[in-house]
């Protein structure tokens, strides 16, 4: 498994580009993972789609994408390359932009990386690689959980609609009203 972390840290657009309001379109060469931990006013554009950035937003820019940003913003970031097909597949399945509802664990991992940043020992590099893999795992698991919740909601709605349909079919000879339907489906 090859995992090369080319850059990581905290990016502050007001420090790096103090007078810039919008960046130029640029190609994405590596995977770029970003976490917005503070309230921000910026936006990012991936492959022509603009996303508003807010606290808890994760951006996953994939190689071959194009991107640009409306500034200002501040984020934790990782730029990495890998030839591991499993890691590539996991990163490719993540949406370009999504919101995490539990980001404290991710912030803790990012901060562990930042404390190891200055030292170049093999132990510190191992810690950084481990943190990056845990961050990817965390993002993937949160997305799977979000997908399961969405599926459960859809299933619940489908069950409710099927109940309504059944009630209507069974009571075509009676006067139908919304109160009776709601009572039948346990909806208030």
């Amino acid at each position: 498994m090859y995992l090369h972390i080319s850059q990581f840290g905290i990016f502050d657009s007001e420090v790096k580009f103090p007078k810039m309001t919008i960046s130029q379109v640029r190609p994405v060469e590596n995977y770029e993972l970003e976490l917005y931990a503070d309230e921000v006013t910026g936006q990012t554009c991936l492959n022509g789609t603009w996303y508003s950035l807010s606290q808890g937003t994760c951006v996953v820019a994939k190689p071959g994408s194009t991107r640009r940003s409306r500034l200002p913003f501040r984020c934790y970031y990782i730029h990495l390359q890998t030839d591991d097909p499993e890691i590539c597949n996991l990163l490719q399945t993540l949406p370009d932009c999504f919101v995490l509802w539990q980001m404290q664990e991710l912030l803790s991992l990012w901060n562990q990386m930042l404390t190891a940043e200055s030292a170049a020992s093999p132990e510190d590099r191992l810690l950084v690689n481990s943190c990056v893999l845990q961050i990817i795992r965390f993002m993937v698991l949160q997305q799977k959980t979000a997908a399961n919740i969405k599926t459960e909601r859809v299933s619940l709605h489908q069950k409710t609609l099927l109940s309504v349909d059944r009630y209507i079919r069974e009571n075509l000879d009676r006067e139908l009203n919304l109160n009776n339907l709601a009572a039948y489906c346990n909806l208030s």
Side-chain angles (χ1 to χ4, degrees):
M1 174 183 82
Y2 169 75
L3 181 68
H4 174 69
I5 295 129
S6 55
Q7 297 178 18
F8 67 92
I10 299 175
F11 177 81
D12 187 338
S13 68
E14 292 182 312
V15 172
K16 183 85 173 170
F17 307 110
K19 296 184 186 203
M20 189 179 291
T21 58
I22 192 163
S23 66
Q24 296 293 317
V25 176
R26 67 175 177 83
V28 177
E29 297 176 5
N30 303 308
Y31 288 100
E32 298 177 7
L33 310 178
E34 299 171 357
L35 172 64
Y36 295 82
D38 304 320
E39 283 302 322
V40 293
T41 57
Q43 294 180 313
T44 193
C45 180
L46 290 166
N47 299 318
T49 302
W50 284 97
Y51 299 96
S52 293
L53 303 172
S54 61
Q55 188 175 31
T57 300
C58 286
V59 172
V60 181
K62 296 150 184 110
S65 301
T66 57
R67 73 176 300 191
R68 68 187 312 185
S69 299
R70 285 194 180 111
L71 313 174
F73 64 83
R74 183 176 184 270
C75 68
Y76 292 81
Y77 73 94
I78 302 168
H79 292 186
L80 67 105
Q81 297 172 325
T82 183
D83 66 352
D84 185 294
E86 288 181 350
I87 295 172
C88 287
N89 186 46
L90 290 173
L91 289 167
Q92 289 296 129
T93 61
L94 288 170
D96 292 339
C97 187
F98 57 96
V99 177
L100 293 173
W101 60 91
Q102 295 176 333
M103 64 179 201
Q104 292 304 350
E105 186 175 336
L106 271 186
L107 287 174
S108 173
L109 290 166
W110 241 292
N111 286 321
Q112 286 179 45
M113 289 171 49
L114 292 172
T115 58
E117 178 181 24
S118 58
S121 71
E123 296 84 8
D124 288 335
R125 285 192 300 277
L126 185 60
L127 174 66
V128 169
N129 283 349
S130 172
C131 287
V132 168
L133 291 172
Q134 289 179 67
I135 287 168
I136 294 169
R137 179 181 181 272
F138 185 84
M139 289 177 168
V140 168
L141 290 176
Q142 284 233 335
Q143 279 304 294
K144 282 185 178 179
T145 301
N148 288 339
I149 289 170
K150 188 175 184 178
T151 301
E152 288 171 13
R153 284 186 188 148
V154 168
S155 296
L156 179 61
H157 292 308
Q158 287 172 337
K159 288 177 186 174
T160 302
L161 290 173
L162 289 172
S163 293
V164 168
D165 182 60
R166 182 175 50 244
Y167 180 83
I168 291 171
R169 289 176 191 276
E170 291 172 359
N171 294 285
L172 286 174
D173 58 336
R174 299 163 82 190
E175 184 178 328
L176 299 174
N177 64 50
L178 193 54
N179 289 335
N180 291 347
L181 286 171
Y184 183 79
C185 297
N186 296 319
L187 300 172
S188 53

